[in-house]
Amino acid sequence: MSSTAVRDQAGPKTPGPDGTGRGERLAALVQKRGAPIVLLVVVVVASIASPGFADWANVSGVLGGNAFVWLLALGMTFVITTGGIDLSVGSMYALGGVLAADGSRAGSWAAVLLPLAVGAAWGTVQGMLVARARMAPFIVSLAGLLGVRGVLQAITNEGSTTYLVPAGSWARKLGEGTWTPVLIVAALFVLGGLLLTRTRFGATLTAIGGNENAAVLMGLPVARAKVYVYVLSGSLAGLAGALGGLRLGSGVTTIGVGYELTAIASVVIGGTLLTGGYGTVGGTVCGVLLLAVLHNLIDHYFSSYGSAFTDAVNGAFLALVVLSQTLLGRARHVE
Amino acid sequence: MIPTQAPAPDGEPVLEVVGAGKTFAGVHALRDVSLSLRPGEVHALIGENGAGKSTLIKVMTGVHRPDTGTVTLAGRTVAFTTPLEAQAAGISTIYQEVNLIPLMSVARNLFLGREPRRFGVVDTRAMNRQAAQILRGYGVESDVSRPLHTLGLGAQQMVALARAVRIDARVVIMDEPTSSLEPREVETLFSVIRDLRSKGVAVVYVSHRLDELYAICDRVTVMRDGAVVHTGELAGLERLKLISLMLGREMSEVRREGATAFAADGHDRQEDQPILEARDLAVRHKVNGVSLSIRPGEVVGLGGLLGSGRSETAKAVVGAIATEGGTVSVAGTAMTRRSPAAAIRAGVVMLAEDRKAEGIIPSLSVRENIVLAALPRLSRGGIVSTARQDEVVTYFMERLGIKASGPEQRVSDLSGGNQQKVLLARWLCMNPKVLLLDEPTRGIDVGAKAEVQSLVDELAREGLGVLLISSELEELIEGSDRVVVLKDGAVVGHLEGDGVTEQALLAALASSGADGADGDVPGADGDVSGADGDASRAEETR
């Protein structure tokens, strides 16, 4: 018997208090409030240091000129919250503009509704491919990016046909000035924010991005929500394009190239996790404003260096933001 | 918070699975399985890895549909196609892994899919208030508006539990609910289960912790190899009997001969100084102060049931998982940095349990797979010497008897046994001092198994220290010079010399936990010493 010893099991450890470290709280704060803080700092510094920055002429130019493009970032916020991506929105923006100009000949309503319907239709196709056929969102929407641009080229005979919005159309008023675009876009952002934070649909989107398996096991309508999210993104892109086209007065075929990447950048800068599971519309608002302000400043100071330089600064800033997010995420996991 | 319904009369099963069969790619996961749950009973479902418990649960919860057989809920035949349907019908499940959304608030997680609404939008205030109230009943006092991941794992499991129970459940299935709970939380869980029982809810309780089963369960169903081998009252069933049922061993039937290719005699220890010594290893929720030492030329077996922390111990030794404490020293030198790379440098290598996920790179050739880890040693100034590679590869292919058309054949074309040998070769060409083998013969054919086993023998003979983890009793008993028995992440027994027998191992496994309720192991000592005698006689006769 001496060779066999059966020992008592060691008692389990006493539980520690489950509290949150200060570092973790700080990390959470920066992730949540980082974008508004940086935005505030940049705006304050720019207003003091750069004469003319805070002038209404400059501000209204920044707001009015960009507002519709920001809708792409709104749609993208939903998509990325589910852990997906929609690369087709830049092409859809351009197609929306051309369809609006084309449709405006049939009436002002058509100018708005036609692009909206086409955006929704393509969004449905993408959503079905992602949710039902289980294809990778990146591939599906990359096909969208190329395909939609192709359709656009076909409609316009490779850019040689230009559609103009009739001068008498009331739809043109939607894009005029500063306040109308800003109010339209602001209203949509408010609705989007409510959708994401205060509805079951929004909760489902966050759940899908956070842990899709768990969402399925909890009995949430995962596939349906994923379809809707691409429909939403496509519709917003079509609408944004339409409004942008109405503002310009014609459909411009070369517009919108790379807009999907700017939208993604704004969303990520706003604190939405690229891997999904956490997204805020408020953050995206800060993200788009921050990028717009930086663009404006860089244009102002460095326009002599060319627009390529703007893009380089843009890219560097995005890399910085993603890097800090990664580091913060790591800090949280290490505990 | 818990559905109020009168308990149905006894004998009328609330959920019944009859003759369920399920095949995956020609493999029988379930064979003619029947399970009947009465209202207000806590039913233990136990079995080793691959016994079919998970498949049975998935059949009951609508994740899988059975190929044959029926599922009956409250007298009506049901055919769930999604988990949602099963939930709606009153069957809710708590999974082993916490299946919640980490970055969402606690309250959100609790109410996902059925949030209280006002004017069409989610009423956050009402939701938070109700969530706090519900969770207080589960011992969770945290701020419910904080993200879920800020809670401890145990508290997260409690949220999952509260979520599952909140639905008007008739059946609650708990798949290893205590694997991440602290003792205090286990008590809370038990009181919730008792509450459910008194309300007439049937609970299916899956766990490997026998103490828990005896503490809370009324009846038990034991599964093995996809079939039910026993169903009955738990009280009065001996622990030893329960374990023999799970492992498919009768106490009287101890086969000693012909089962494995290990030589019958032990290995000569060349030195008595341990080559590897681990002290008080601790891994959160998994390993609780395990110490073990391996001497050169010795095979140390690590025994234990599924979930006892065997693999985690091995991984903790090589630094593949984060440890909460403990030291590892190799040949008397303490390892300061703990990582697989540092372990390899020190001469400790591990053959991982999951060959596909953690070892082989299928698209590469046999040669590439073998030299992968040794590349730094086979190259000078970053240039890989082909001649030295070929030398090493040829040597090991011959030595281990790797059957391949040549060194350039793709590893994915080889059989499982030969893939395992390729992995072994990869580690052996690092000149290790200690080899940790986690289930080295799982999933490989009989012939290759014998070859791997005799190879392990041979390596030990040459002076390697070997740690052997195996769920196969014969392999463990016959392959090891000593066996360290783990249970719930702690060492509960040491078997040495003639004491390395199946009976002794089973007795150690059946020993109850620290709570001292050892009345269920009748005369464990006597049995074991008797077994000692038998075993030593058996040794002599060979």
Side-chain angles (χ1 to χ4, degrees):
Chain A
M1 188 53 230
S2 59
S3 59
T4 305
V6 178
R7 273 202 271 152
D8 263 356
Q9 184 191 346
K13 289 193 164 180
T14 46
D18 59 82
T20 333
R22 183 192 289 175
E24 195 177 323
R25 274 204 301 273
L26 187 72
L29 182 78
V30 173
Q31 194 197 325
K32 261 192 170 143
R33 310 262 177 255
I37 293 168
V38 176
L39 177 64
L40 195 71
V41 170
V42 169
V43 166
V44 168
V45 170
S47 308
I48 296 167
S50 169
F53 172 78
D55 285 0
W56 175 243
N58 189 38
V59 171
S60 72
V62 170
L63 294 178
N66 295 309
F68 293 137
V69 183
W70 296 342
L71 290 176
L72 303 184
L74 177 61
M76 194 70 76
T77 307
F78 296 111
V79 178
I80 291 182
T81 298
T82 65
I85 197 96
D86 187 354
L87 299 176
S88 71
V89 294
S91 298
M92 186 55 75
Y93 182 86
L95 181 64
V98 169
L99 288 176
D102 189 12
S104 65
R105 292 177 305 179
S108 292
W109 279 109
V112 178
L113 294 181
L114 180 64
L116 193 65
V118 170
W122 175 245
T124 312
V125 172
Q126 290 199 138
M128 297 300 274
L129 288 175
V130 169
R132 307 282 182 195
R134 296 176 180 277
M135 289 173 66
F138 187 92
I139 300 298
V140 169
S141 63
L142 184 63
L145 183 153
L146 301 170
V148 171
R149 183 69 63 178
V151 169
L152 172 68
Q153 297 291 355
I155 291 177
T156 59
N157 297 317
E158 301 190 12
S160 56
T161 310
T162 309
Y163 299 99
L164 291 173
V165 183
S169 168
W170 61 257
R172 288 191 79 137
K173 297 231 184 315
L174 290 173
E176 273 175 8
T178 303
W179 287 112
T180 321
V182 167
L183 286 176
I184 292 172
V185 170
L188 287 171
F189 267 87
V190 168
L191 285 177
L194 285 175
L195 189 66
L196 194 56
T197 54
R198 300 302 294 271
T199 65
R200 282 187 187 173
F201 176 68
T204 305
L205 299 188
T206 312
I208 292 171
N211 186 344
E212 188 166 339
N213 274 333
V216 172
L217 290 172
M218 284 181 182
L220 300 178
V222 169
R224 203 190 326 155
K226 277 167 93 173
V227 175
Y228 284 160
V229 96
Y230 288 94
V231 172
L232 197 59
S233 174
S235 311
L236 279 171
L239 178 68
L243 293 170
L246 292 169
R247 180 179 174 89
L248 294 174
S250 75
V252 181
T253 53
T254 53
I255 211 167
V257 175
Y259 280 17
E260 63 282 341
L261 299 180
T262 314
I264 293 167
S266 316
V267 171
V268 172
I269 288 171
T272 295
L273 289 180
L274 201 47
T275 48
Y278 180 80
T280 68
V281 170
T284 298
V285 171
C286 297
V288 293
L289 288 176
L290 189 56
L291 275 188
V293 167
L294 284 175
H295 265 265
N296 184 255
L297 288 172
I298 292 163
D299 274 348
H300 185 252
Y301 285 103
F302 299 102
S303 52
S304 49
Y305 297 92
S307 67
F309 192 76
T310 317
D311 293 341
V313 173
N314 227 344
F317 189 73
L318 177 63
L320 209 67
V321 170
V322 176
L323 176 71
S324 59
Q325 266 194 354
T326 311
L327 292 176
L328 289 173
R330 205 171 293 158
R332 175 170 333 115
H333 286 298
V334 171
E335 285 178 34
Chain B
M1 85 198 188
I2 287 164
T4 48
Q5 58 192 73
D10 259 338
E12 187 82 6
V14 55
L15 182 71
E16 201 166 20
V17 179
V18 180
K22 180 83 190 169
T23 312
F24 294 108
V27 179
H28 282 284
L30 290 182
R31 274 179 299 194
D32 193 26
V33 168
S34 297
L35 179 74
S36 165
L37 297 174
R38 301 174 193 148
E41 79 163 334
V42 183
H43 197 114
L45 180 61
I46 65 171
E48 279 287 271
N49 220 349
K53 291 169 308 193
S54 314
T55 314
L56 178 58
I57 290 175
K58 285 176 177 165
V59 162
M60 291 192 284
T61 54
V63 177
H64 291 324
R65 296 189 67 173
D67 299 335
T68 57
T70 56
V71 180
T72 312
L73 183 68
R76 274 189 308 178
T77 304
V78 288
F80 302 126
T81 51
T82 64
L84 185 57
E85 284 177 31
Q87 276 177 26
I91 301 175
S92 53
T93 315
I94 302 154
Y95 299 91
Q96 182 182 0
E97 307 281 310
V98 176
N99 264 296
L100 296 171
I101 317 298
L103 287 172
M104 268 184 151
S105 80
V106 175
R108 266 275 147 107
N109 268 290
L110 187 60
F111 282 95
L112 254 178
R114 44 168 190 273
E115 295 89 346
R117 287 188 289 194
R118 251 177 94 201
F119 313 119
V121 297
V122 175
D123 187 349
T124 313
R125 268 175 54 199
M127 185 172 74
N128 286 346
R129 197 177 55 240
Q130 290 177 31
Q133 191 187 342
I134 290 168
L135 288 174
R136 213 167 293 136
Y138 290 82
V140 179
E141 302 273 356
S142 308
D143 179 1
V144 295
S145 63
R146 272 174 33 184
L148 180 86
H149 71 89
T150 60
L151 262 56
L153 257 187
Q156 291 188 27
Q157 188 67 281
M158 284 297 161
V159 176
L161 177 68
R163 189 186 151 79
V165 172
R166 240 187 51 82
I167 309 173
D168 294 336
R170 283 192 276 192
V171 178
V172 177
I173 298 170
M174 302 183 179
D175 190 356
E176 296 206 44
T178 56
S179 56
S180 52
L181 295 190
E182 310 284 356
R184 178 178 49 91
E185 293 163 334
V186 172
E187 266 317 303
T188 312
L189 174 72
F190 282 3
S191 68
V192 171
I193 292 177
R194 285 188 201 104
D195 202 10
L196 287 172
R197 174 159 58 189
S198 69
K199 299 241 162 71
V201 177
V203 176
V204 177
Y205 192 90
V206 180
S207 178
H208 297 287
R209 300 182 179 177
L210 298 189
D211 299 340
E212 288 175 6
L213 301 185
Y214 280 99
I216 193 75
C217 297
D218 306 313
R219 289 202 303 153
V220 62
T221 291
V222 185
M223 292 187 73
R224 193 174 68 234
D225 298 336
V228 171
V229 292
H230 178 83
T231 295
E233 299 292 323
L234 186 60
L237 187 65
E238 285 174 21
R239 277 167 192 253
L240 213 51
K241 175 74 179 158
L242 199 60
I243 289 177
S244 343
L245 283 168
M246 267 166 81
L247 300 181
R249 287 289 179 291
E250 286 302 323
M251 284 305 298
S252 55
E253 162 210 330
V254 179
R255 283 168 291 167
R256 286 288 301 175
E257 296 192 34
T260 65
F262 291 112
D265 52 334
H267 307 106
D268 295 329
R269 276 175 227 132
Q270 290 159 350
E271 309 161 39
D272 276 328
Q273 210 57 26
I275 182 73
L276 180 106
E277 188 149 35
R279 291 241 154 273
D280 302 321
L281 287 178
V283 177
R284 193 168 169 76
H285 298 309
K286 304 281 190 190
V287 179
N288 233 322
V290 169
S291 300
L292 49 87
S293 66
I294 304 170
R295 283 165 286 204
E298 182 183 46
V299 179
V300 177
L302 202 51
L305 295 172
L306 189 69
S308 58
R310 292 170 306 180
S311 298
E312 288 81 3
T313 301
K315 284 183 178 167
V317 167
V318 297
I321 49 175
T323 51
E324 283 188 322
T327 58
V328 174
S329 53
V330 180
T333 315
M335 291 180 58
T336 45
R337 276 190 55 218
R338 297 274 286 283
S339 70
I344 290 171
R345 273 199 297 279
V348 182
V349 298
M350 182 178 72
L351 193 63
E353 181 180 10
D354 191 340
R355 197 162 56 231
K356 287 212 176 63
E358 300 177 35
I360 224 81
I361 301 178
S363 57
L364 295 185
S365 68
V366 171
R367 178 180 58 80
E368 287 164 319
N369 265 291
I370 290 180
V371 298
L372 206 55
L375 276 182
R377 298 157 48 106
L378 298 175
S379 53
R380 187 167 296 149
I383 312 294
V384 182
S385 156
T386 319
R388 286 194 62 193
Q389 263 193 52
D390 288 344
E391 196 184 313
V392 168
V393 170
T394 316
Y395 172 75
F396 279 109
M397 283 185 71
E398 203 166 295
R399 165 92 197 271
L400 307 191
I402 296 171
K403 291 181 197 70
S405 61
E408 300 309 319
Q409 192 177 10
R410 274 163 52 122
V411 155
S412 54
D413 298 337
L414 302 187
S415 69
N418 278 304
Q419 290 187 5
Q420 190 70 301
K421 286 191 214 163
V422 167
L423 274 183
L424 208 50
R426 178 193 291 173
W427 295 124
L428 290 179
C429 69
M430 305 296 292
N431 284 327
K433 298 181 191 127
V434 182
L435 196 54
L436 312 181
L437 302 172
D438 195 353
E439 303 282 1
T441 64
R442 172 176 291 168
I444 68 182
D445 64 84
V446 182
K449 198 165 180 167
E451 283 176 27
V452 169
Q453 287 169 346
S454 50
L455 194 67
V456 170
D457 237 12
E458 211 179 305
L459 291 168
R461 224 169 279 282
E462 286 169 14
L464 224 64
V466 179
L467 182 75
L468 177 66
I469 299 176
S470 178
S471 295
E472 286 189 38
L473 287 185
E474 286 121 351
E475 188 168 286
L476 195 66
I477 295 298
E478 295 177 24
S480 312
D481 301 309
R482 292 192 290 133
V483 175
V484 176
V485 186
L486 296 186
K487 190 181 165 194
D488 297 344
V491 177
V492 293
H494 286 283
L495 316 181
E496 273 182 51
D498 293 342
V500 184
T501 62
E502 288 201 9
Q503 285 101 326
L505 182 59
L506 291 180
L509 291 177
S511 68
S512 52
D515 54 5
D518 53 0
D520 294 308
V521 194
D525 284 8
D527 279 0
V528 170
S529 49
D532 279 357
D534 288 344
S536 45
R537 271 195 298 282
E539 297 275 19
E540 282 156 21
T541 54
R542 292 183 105 192

